[in-house]
């Protein structure tokens, strides 16, 4: 079975994330979306909330599972028996950082990284940007699923756009 991991914090999941996950699901038998538990950061949404949002967002895919992990990505890949990581790239700056990570992952555990260029519609989109715009009242409804937009409004108050 060809299995890939799409890792990230997904705080919150955006349409750009979903584009990469959906495209990856057409290339692999199984896709595991790995939600990183980063104890040095406090996210806007809890890990359980992010997993629930991703579960709803990917419910239409029969070959996508959502799991959380902490520690090294390569250890997570080993635990789920995935030899490939798929990462979306928005810009050259993403490539510079991700290439170093990919080289470390292959050296540590033989885990390959495939880079998927982001759909140009989402090339500027990030969870951080969505949160920042929503925090100041900007309308981010076109950049996240409806239930994520509703969750942002609930968490950030009426200032979250629309």
């Amino acid at each position: 079975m060809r299995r890939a991991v799409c890792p990230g914090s997904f705080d919150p999941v955006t349409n750009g994330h979903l584009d990469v996950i959906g495209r990856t699901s057409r290339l692999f038998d199984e896709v595991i979306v790995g939600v990183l538990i980063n104890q040095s950061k406090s996210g806007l949404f809890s890990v359980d909330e992010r997993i629930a949002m991703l579960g709803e967002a990917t419910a239409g895919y029969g070959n996508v599972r959502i799991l959380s992990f902490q520690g090294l990505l390569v250890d997570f890949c080993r635990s789920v028996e995935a030899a490939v990581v798929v990462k979306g790239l928005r810009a050259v700056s993403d490539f510079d950082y991700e290439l170093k990570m990919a080289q470390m992952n292959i050296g540590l555990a033989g885990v390959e990284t495939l880079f998927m260029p982001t759909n140009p519609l989402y090339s500027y989109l990030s969870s951080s940007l969505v949160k920042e715009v929503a925090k100041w009242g900007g309308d981010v409804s076109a950049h996240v699923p409806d239930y994520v937009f509703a969750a942002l409004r609930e968490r950030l108050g009426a200032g979250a756009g629309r």
Side-chain angles (χ1 to χ4, degrees):
M1 172 180 283
R2 296 172 312 146
R3 183 176 292 136
V5 169
C6 288
S9 61
F10 305 102
D11 186 37
V13 61
T14 69
N15 292 340
H17 292 131
L18 296 176
D19 177 62
V20 170
I21 293 166
R23 289 163 55 204
T24 302
S25 76
R26 292 190 298 270
L27 299 173
F28 290 88
D29 300 319
E30 184 177 30
V31 177
I32 299 171
V33 178
V35 180
L36 176 64
I37 300 169
N38 187 344
Q39 295 175 339
S40 66
K41 282 186 177 180
S42 63
L44 181 62
F45 295 102
S46 72
V47 171
D48 289 339
E49 288 171 319
R50 289 181 263 156
I51 288 171
M53 285 188 259
L54 279 159
E56 188 169 344
T58 61
Y61 300 110
N63 65 337
V64 174
R65 284 193 295 154
I66 316 299
L67 299 172
S68 63
F69 76 99
Q70 57 186 348
L72 293 176
L73 176 58
V74 293
D75 290 339
F76 177 66
C77 289
R78 277 191 203 123
S79 74
V80 297
E81 299 178 347
V84 176
V85 170
V86 177
K87 300 288 295 225
L89 294 180
R90 295 169 294 193
V92 172
S93 58
D94 285 349
F95 179 76
D96 185 48
Y97 173 77
E98 294 295 347
L99 178 62
K100 293 171 190 167
M101 298 297 292
Q103 290 169 330
M104 180 63 80
N105 290 342
I106 193 85
L108 284 174
V111 174
E112 295 287 354
T113 301
L114 298 180
F115 297 125
M116 183 173 288
T118 305
N119 181 321
L121 294 172
Y122 310 118
S123 63
Y124 61 91
L125 196 54
S126 71
S127 293
S128 299
L129 183 59
V130 164
K131 287 185 289 194
E132 186 69 16
V133 170
K135 175 179 146 187
W136 294 106
D139 183 0
V140 295
S141 61
H143 308 298
V144 296
D146 290 341
Y147 47 88
V148 173
F149 181 68
L152 282 165
R153 287 189 62 143
E154 183 178 317
R155 187 64 40 96
L156 297 173
R162 249 201 283 175

